[in-house]
Amino acid sequence: MPTREEAKAQRREDIVNAAMRLMYTRGDSGFSMRALADAAGVSIATPYNLFGSKQAIMLAVLDTGMALYEQRLGKLQADELEIFFEAVSLATELYAEAPKFHQAVLFSAYGDGGRDYRAVFGDPRFLFWKALVERARNAGFLEIDVDPSALALALSQQFFICILEWAYGEIGLAELEQRVHYTFALLLHGAATSSGSRRLKPRIKLLQKNLTDRWSVSDPRKSVAASQ
Amino acid sequence: MPTREEAKAQRREDIVNAAMRLMYTRGDSGFSMRALADAAGVSIATPYNLFGSKQAIMLAVLDTGMALYEQRLGKLQADELEIFFEAVSLATELYAEAPKFHQAVLFSAYGDGGRDYRAVFGDPRFLFWKALVERARNAGFLEIDVDPSALALALSQQFFICILEWAYGEIGLAELEQRVHYTFALLLHGAATSSGSRRLKPRIKLLQKNLTDRWSVSDPRKSVAASQ
DNA sequence: CAATAATTTATAACATGTTATAATGCAAAC
DNA sequence: GTTTGCATTATAACATGTTATAAATTATTG
C-alpha cells in the first residue's frame, strides 16, 4: 500500500529507466512515446502527466548522465588550465562508451517536439564551465577581470554545437575532441594572463596542426555520413 | 505551351515564393506543407517531388537570403579585421527588418523533420567566413600559418548557435550581436598577429564590459521569454 | 467502513511530415 | 496526329508528439 506520492515517484523512475533502456538498445529510432509507455508498463498518458513532454524525459536522462560525468571528473588530477581539456576528453570517452545511447539522448532532446532548446544544454552545463573559469582565474591563468559568465557561455555553446554535430553523424568522436580542444584554447587564450598564454599559445599551434592534418585527407565540411 | 523543364522551374519558384509569403505573414506557426501546397496552388505531393523535404524548401529560402546578405555586405567599407564585426551587425540588421520571417526560416530548417543539420548552416556560410579569414590573414591581421578552415569553422558555429538562441526566443537581437562580437574577438585574437592583437585586445575588454553590464540587470541564462 | 478526490487508463482524436498508389494531363517522340 | 512516358494530382495511409475525455482504480479522509 504505497502512498500516492511514492507510487508517483516509482512510476517516474520506471519511465526514466525504460527510456534509458530503450535508447541503449534501440537508439533513437524506435524510441517513441508509445514504445516508452509500453516498456514502462504504463499508459501513454502517464508520461505526459508526470513529465509533460518527451523532451522533459530526455532532460531527466541527460541529468543522470551529467551527475555521472561530474563524479568521474572529480577523480581526475589536472591543474586549473588543463582541466578544461581533460573535461572535454572525458566527455568524449563517455560518449565512446555508449555512443548510440548518447546520440539518441541528444537527438531526442533536441529533435521532435523540443522547443525548449536552452534546457538541453542549459544551466547545469553552463554553471559547470563557469566554475572552471573562476577556478582558472583564481589560479592566475586568466585575467582577473574576466567575466566568467561571458567566457563560460562561449565555451559551453561551442562544446554544445560540436556535440550536436557528432550526434547528427557529421563528425566522429576524435574530431569532436580535437575541434573543441582547439576552440577552447582559442577562447581561453583571449582571456589569458601571460602565464596562461605561455601555455595556450603553443597548444593552439599544435591543435591547429592536428586539424589541418585531419582535413588534408578529408574535407572539413564533408560529413562522415556522406563519405561512407 | 511551356516546356516540361520550364513548367517544373515555374512550380519550383511558385513553391519557394509561397513559402516566403507564408512565413512573412504567418511566421513559423501555420506554415505546414499542406498550407504551403495550398498557397502555391499545387498538390501536396509536388513539393516533395521537387524538393524532397520541407527542410530542402527552407534551405532554398535561406539561400536567397544569403545572396541578399552578401550583396549588401559588399557595399560596406571596412578593413579586413573590422569586416568580421560589420558582417555580424549587418546580419542582425537584416533579422531586425523581418524578425518573424527569419525566425520561421531558421526554426523550420532546424526543427520538424530536419535531420540534415549541417546543410542549414553549412557550406555557403562556412566558405563565407573562410574567405574573410584568408583576407584578414593576407592583410597581416592574422598569423600567416593560421588554418582558415579551423578558424572559420569555429566562427561560423559560434554565430550559428547564437542565431539559434535568438530564433528560439532566448535572447534579443542586441544581445545576439554583442555576444557574437565578443566571441569573434576572442577567437580572432587567438590567431592574431601583434598588429591584429593590438586592435582586438581592447575590443575584447570593451565587449566583455558590455555583456557584464547587460547581465548585471538580467541573468545571462534567464531567457527572454521567461522574463516577460 | 464508506465517501471523496486524485491519478491512471483506455481510447479517440488532431496536426504534422512523409510515403504510396492509382488516375489524369500533357509535353515529347515518332 | 497519334502514341508514349513523365509529372502532377487527388487521396489514403502511416508514424509521430500531443491533447482531450470518460471510465476505472485507489489512496486518503471522514
Side-chain angles (χ1 to χ4, degrees), chain B residues 33-160:
Chain B
M33 290 300 275
R34 286 168 179 84
L36 172 63
D38 272 4
V42 102
S43 159
I44 184 168
T46 301
Y48 286 100
N49 286 334
L50 296 181
F51 291 89
S53 69
K54 181 176 187 178
Q55 183 173 244
I57 297 168
M58 293 302 96
L59 293 182
V61 173
L62 212 53
D63 282 346
T64 72
M66 187 73 183
L68 175 66
Y69 173 70
E70 294 210 36
Q71 177 193 327
R72 280 234 232 161
L73 191 69
K75 290 184 192 153
L76 290 180
Q77 53 216 27
D79 72 21
E80 294 82 358
L81 194 57
E82 208 61 34
I83 191 69
F84 286 95
F85 303 93
E86 292 288 334
V88 172
S89 297
L90 176 60
T92 64
E93 279 167 36
L94 281 173
Y95 295 157
E97 287 171 17
K100 273 172 56 177
F101 170 72
H102 284 96
Q103 283 176 328
V105 174
L106 285 162
F107 207 80
S108 296
Y110 206 73
D112 294 322
R115 304 280 97 126
D116 190 7
Y117 137 80
R118 168 162 292 176
V120 176
F121 228 65
D123 279 4
R125 277 147 277 269
F126 165 67
L127 294 174
F128 169 76
W129 294 113
K130 188 175 171 189
L132 289 193
V133 168
E134 282 165 349
R135 279 178 51 194
R137 180 192 56 183
N138 296 341
F141 291 121
L142 300 180
E143 289 182 353
I144 197 68
D145 64 346
V146 68
D147 183 323
S149 292
L151 188 53
L153 205 49
L155 293 171
S156 62
Q157 286 188 333
Q158 193 69 42
F159 195 12
F160 171 57

Side-chain angles (χ1 to χ4, degrees), chain A residues 2-4 32-34 44 48 53-54 113:
Chain A
T3 196
R4 237 195 269 269
S32 66
M33 290 299 275
R34 287 167 178 85
I44 186 171
Y48 285 100
S53 69
K54 181 177 187 178

